[in-house]
PDB file of all heavy atoms in Angstrom:
ATOM      1  N   ARG I  98     -14.487  15.832   4.086  1.00 98.00           N
ATOM      2  CA  ARG I  98     -14.228  17.189   3.597  1.00 98.00           C
ATOM      3  C   ARG I  98     -13.887  17.181   2.098  1.00 98.00           C
ATOM      4  O   ARG I  98     -14.351  18.042   1.353  1.00 98.00           O
ATOM      5  CB  ARG I  98     -13.101  17.848   4.390  1.00 98.00           C
ATOM      6  CG  ARG I  98     -13.508  18.173   5.842  1.00 98.00           C
ATOM      7  CD  ARG I  98     -12.460  19.056   6.508  1.00 98.00           C
ATOM      8  NE  ARG I  98     -12.282  20.294   5.769  1.00 98.00           N
ATOM      9  CZ  ARG I  98     -13.011  21.398   5.946  1.00 98.00           C
ATOM     10  NH1 ARG I  98     -13.943  21.423   6.877  1.00 98.00           N
ATOM     11  NH2 ARG I  98     -12.788  22.471   5.223  1.00 98.00           N
ATOM     12  N   ASP I 263       7.082  25.631   6.452  1.00 97.00           N
ATOM     13  CA  ASP I 263       6.337  25.411   5.204  1.00 97.00           C
ATOM     14  C   ASP I 263       7.300  25.045   4.066  1.00 97.00           C
ATOM     15  O   ASP I 263       7.001  24.169   3.253  1.00 97.00           O
ATOM     16  CB  ASP I 263       5.536  26.667   4.833  1.00 97.00           C
ATOM     17  CG  ASP I 263       4.401  26.931   5.828  1.00 97.00           C
ATOM     18  OD1 ASP I 263       4.225  26.113   6.759  1.00 97.00           O
ATOM     19  OD2 ASP I 263       3.718  27.961   5.681  1.00 97.00           O
ATOM     20  N   GLU I 269      10.779  18.027   2.373  1.00 95.00           N
ATOM     21  CA  GLU I 269      10.920  16.687   2.939  1.00 95.00           C
ATOM     22  C   GLU I 269      10.361  15.593   2.012  1.00 95.00           C
ATOM     23  O   GLU I 269      10.626  14.426   2.219  1.00 95.00           O
ATOM     24  CB  GLU I 269      10.276  16.586   4.333  1.00 95.00           C
ATOM     25  CG  GLU I 269       8.771  16.460   4.349  1.00 95.00           C
ATOM     26  CD  GLU I 269       8.209  16.228   5.772  1.00 95.00           C
ATOM     27  OE1 GLU I 269       8.945  15.775   6.659  1.00 95.00           O
ATOM     28  OE2 GLU I 269       7.010  16.523   5.970  1.00 95.00           O
ATOM     29  N   ARG I 352      -2.547  34.496 -11.575  1.00 97.00           N
ATOM     30  CA  ARG I 352      -3.219  33.822 -12.689  1.00 97.00           C
ATOM     31  C   ARG I 352      -2.815  32.349 -12.807  1.00 97.00           C
ATOM     32  O   ARG I 352      -3.610  31.528 -13.224  1.00 97.00           O
ATOM     33  CB  ARG I 352      -2.896  34.513 -14.022  1.00 97.00           C
ATOM     34  CG  ARG I 352      -3.430  35.924 -14.145  1.00 97.00           C
ATOM     35  CD  ARG I 352      -3.416  36.409 -15.592  1.00 97.00           C
ATOM     36  NE  ARG I 352      -2.161  36.141 -16.284  1.00 97.00           N
ATOM     37  CZ  ARG I 352      -1.055  36.863 -16.143  1.00 97.00           C
ATOM     38  NH1 ARG I 352      -1.042  37.904 -15.324  1.00 97.00           N
ATOM     39  NH2 ARG I 352       0.033  36.548 -16.806  1.00 97.00           N
ATOM     40  N   ALA I 354      -1.299  29.076 -10.905  1.00 98.00           N
ATOM     41  CA  ALA I 354      -0.862  28.293  -9.743  1.00 98.00           C
ATOM     42  C   ALA I 354      -1.803  27.105  -9.626  1.00 98.00           C
ATOM     43  O   ALA I 354      -2.994  27.219  -9.939  1.00 98.00           O
ATOM     44  CB  ALA I 354      -0.919  29.133  -8.461  1.00 98.00           C
ATOM     45  N   LYS I 397     -16.975  13.439 -19.452  1.00 98.00           N
ATOM     46  CA  LYS I 397     -16.615  13.926 -20.786  1.00 98.00           C
ATOM     47  C   LYS I 397     -17.882  14.339 -21.489  1.00 98.00           C
ATOM     48  O   LYS I 397     -18.988  14.075 -21.030  1.00 98.00           O
ATOM     49  CB  LYS I 397     -15.812  12.902 -21.584  1.00 98.00           C
ATOM     50  CG  LYS I 397     -16.077  11.440 -21.268  1.00 98.00           C
ATOM     51  CD  LYS I 397     -17.378  10.960 -21.802  1.00 98.00           C
ATOM     52  CE  LYS I 397     -17.685   9.550 -21.448  1.00 98.00           C
ATOM     53  NZ  LYS I 397     -18.918   9.072 -22.128  1.00 98.00           N
ATOM     54  N   SER I 399     -20.212  15.082 -25.122  1.00 98.00           N
ATOM     55  CA  SER I 399     -20.524  14.778 -26.519  1.00 98.00           C
ATOM     56  C   SER I 399     -21.330  15.948 -27.051  1.00 98.00           C
ATOM     57  O   SER I 399     -22.304  16.362 -26.413  1.00 98.00           O
ATOM     58  CB  SER I 399     -21.374  13.509 -26.622  1.00 98.00           C
ATOM     59  OG  SER I 399     -20.725  12.411 -26.019  1.00 98.00           O
ATOM     60  N   HIS I 428     -19.057  15.961 -48.879  1.00 96.00           N
ATOM     61  CA  HIS I 428     -19.597  16.757 -47.775  1.00 96.00           C
ATOM     62  C   HIS I 428     -20.696  17.688 -48.290  1.00 96.00           C
ATOM     63  O   HIS I 428     -21.751  17.839 -47.663  1.00 96.00           O
ATOM     64  CB  HIS I 428     -18.490  17.609 -47.134  1.00 96.00           C
ATOM     65  CG  HIS I 428     -17.582  16.852 -46.220  1.00 96.00           C
ATOM     66  ND1 HIS I 428     -16.718  15.889 -46.668  1.00 96.00           N
ATOM     67  CD2 HIS I 428     -17.394  16.921 -44.874  1.00 96.00           C
ATOM     68  CE1 HIS I 428     -16.032  15.396 -45.629  1.00 96.00           C
ATOM     69  NE2 HIS I 428     -16.425  16.015 -44.534  1.00 96.00           N
TER      70      HIS I 428
ATOM     71  N   GLU O 119     -17.195  28.372   4.951  1.00 98.00           N
ATOM     72  CA  GLU O 119     -17.679  27.446   5.965  1.00 98.00           C
ATOM     73  C   GLU O 119     -18.003  28.196   7.260  1.00 98.00           C
ATOM     74  O   GLU O 119     -17.679  29.373   7.398  1.00 98.00           O
ATOM     75  CB  GLU O 119     -16.618  26.372   6.195  1.00 98.00           C
ATOM     76  CG  GLU O 119     -16.315  25.602   4.909  1.00 98.00           C
ATOM     77  CD  GLU O 119     -15.453  24.384   5.146  1.00 98.00           C
ATOM     78  OE1 GLU O 119     -14.337  24.550   5.670  1.00 98.00           O
ATOM     79  OE2 GLU O 119     -15.909  23.268   4.824  1.00 98.00           O
ATOM     80  N   GLU O 269     -14.213  10.272 -47.963  1.00 95.00           N
ATOM     81  CA  GLU O 269     -13.439  11.099 -48.893  1.00 95.00           C
ATOM     82  C   GLU O 269     -12.285  11.834 -48.201  1.00 95.00           C
ATOM     83  O   GLU O 269     -11.401  12.357 -48.862  1.00 95.00           O
ATOM     84  CB  GLU O 269     -14.338  12.088 -49.646  1.00 95.00           C
ATOM     85  CG  GLU O 269     -14.750  13.325 -48.882  1.00 95.00           C
ATOM     86  CD  GLU O 269     -15.542  14.314 -49.748  1.00 95.00           C
ATOM     87  OE1 GLU O 269     -15.438  14.289 -50.975  1.00 95.00           O
ATOM     88  OE2 GLU O 269     -16.288  15.135 -49.150  1.00 95.00           O
ATOM     89  N   ARG O 352     -23.742   6.899 -24.680  1.00 97.00           N
ATOM     90  CA  ARG O 352     -22.855   7.452 -23.654  1.00 97.00           C
ATOM     91  C   ARG O 352     -21.526   7.924 -24.232  1.00 97.00           C
ATOM     92  O   ARG O 352     -20.926   8.864 -23.723  1.00 97.00           O
ATOM     93  CB  ARG O 352     -22.551   6.405 -22.565  1.00 97.00           C
ATOM     94  CG  ARG O 352     -23.745   5.953 -21.755  1.00 97.00           C
ATOM     95  CD  ARG O 352     -23.324   5.246 -20.474  1.00 97.00           C
ATOM     96  NE  ARG O 352     -22.309   4.221 -20.703  1.00 97.00           N
ATOM     97  CZ  ARG O 352     -22.564   3.004 -21.182  1.00 97.00           C
ATOM     98  NH1 ARG O 352     -23.793   2.672 -21.492  1.00 97.00           N
ATOM     99  NH2 ARG O 352     -21.588   2.140 -21.351  1.00 97.00           N
ATOM    100  N   ALA O 354     -19.515   9.190 -27.564  1.00 98.00           N
ATOM    101  CA  ALA O 354     -19.405   9.655 -28.949  1.00 98.00           C
ATOM    102  C   ALA O 354     -18.867  11.076 -28.906  1.00 98.00           C
ATOM    103  O   ALA O 354     -19.171  11.825 -27.974  1.00 98.00           O
ATOM    104  CB  ALA O 354     -20.760   9.630 -29.648  1.00 98.00           C
ATOM    105  N   LYS O 397      -8.118  27.277 -17.265  1.00 98.00           N
ATOM    106  CA  LYS O 397      -7.652  26.298 -16.275  1.00 98.00           C
ATOM    107  C   LYS O 397      -8.016  26.822 -14.908  1.00 98.00           C
ATOM    108  O   LYS O 397      -8.410  27.987 -14.736  1.00 98.00           O
ATOM    109  CB  LYS O 397      -6.149  26.013 -16.420  1.00 98.00           C
ATOM    110  CG  LYS O 397      -5.288  27.141 -16.962  1.00 98.00           C
ATOM    111  CD  LYS O 397      -5.074  28.232 -15.989  1.00 98.00           C
ATOM    112  CE  LYS O 397      -4.249  29.367 -16.512  1.00 98.00           C
ATOM    113  NZ  LYS O 397      -3.956  30.355 -15.473  1.00 98.00           N
ATOM    114  N   SER O 399      -7.382  27.079 -10.572  1.00 98.00           N
ATOM    115  CA  SER O 399      -6.493  27.060  -9.412  1.00 98.00           C
ATOM    116  C   SER O 399      -7.371  26.862  -8.181  1.00 98.00           C
ATOM    117  O   SER O 399      -8.369  27.561  -8.014  1.00 98.00           O
ATOM    118  CB  SER O 399      -5.754  28.399  -9.268  1.00 98.00           C
ATOM    119  OG  SER O 399      -5.029  28.706 -10.439  1.00 98.00           O
ATOM    120  N   HIS O 428       5.295  18.280   7.521  1.00 96.00           N
ATOM    121  CA  HIS O 428       3.903  18.594   7.209  1.00 96.00           C
ATOM    122  C   HIS O 428       3.099  18.748   8.505  1.00 96.00           C
ATOM    123  O   HIS O 428       2.290  19.670   8.657  1.00 96.00           O
ATOM    124  CB  HIS O 428       3.262  17.473   6.371  1.00 96.00           C
ATOM    125  CG  HIS O 428       3.662  17.467   4.927  1.00 96.00           C
ATOM    126  ND1 HIS O 428       4.933  17.177   4.498  1.00 96.00           N
ATOM    127  CD2 HIS O 428       2.932  17.706   3.803  1.00 96.00           C
ATOM    128  CE1 HIS O 428       4.962  17.241   3.174  1.00 96.00           C
ATOM    129  NE2 HIS O 428       3.771  17.559   2.732  1.00 96.00           N
ATOM    130  N   SER O 431       4.099  21.949  10.454  1.00 96.00           N
ATOM    131  CA  SER O 431       3.620  23.138   9.778  1.00 96.00           C
ATOM    132  C   SER O 431       2.138  23.376  10.098  1.00 96.00           C
ATOM    133  O   SER O 431       1.704  24.523  10.292  1.00 96.00           O
ATOM    134  CB  SER O 431       3.874  22.941   8.281  1.00 96.00           C
ATOM    135  OG  SER O 431       3.134  23.806   7.507  1.00 96.00           O
TER     136      SER O 431
END
Side-chain angles (χ1 to χ4, degrees):
Chain I
R98 291 191 59 87
D263 292 358
E269 78 175 339
R352 295 196 313 281
K397 29 74 183 186
S399 303
H428 282 67
Chain O
E119 301 190 302
E269 79 175 338
R352 296 196 311 281
K397 29 73 181 186
S399 303
H428 283 68
S431 162

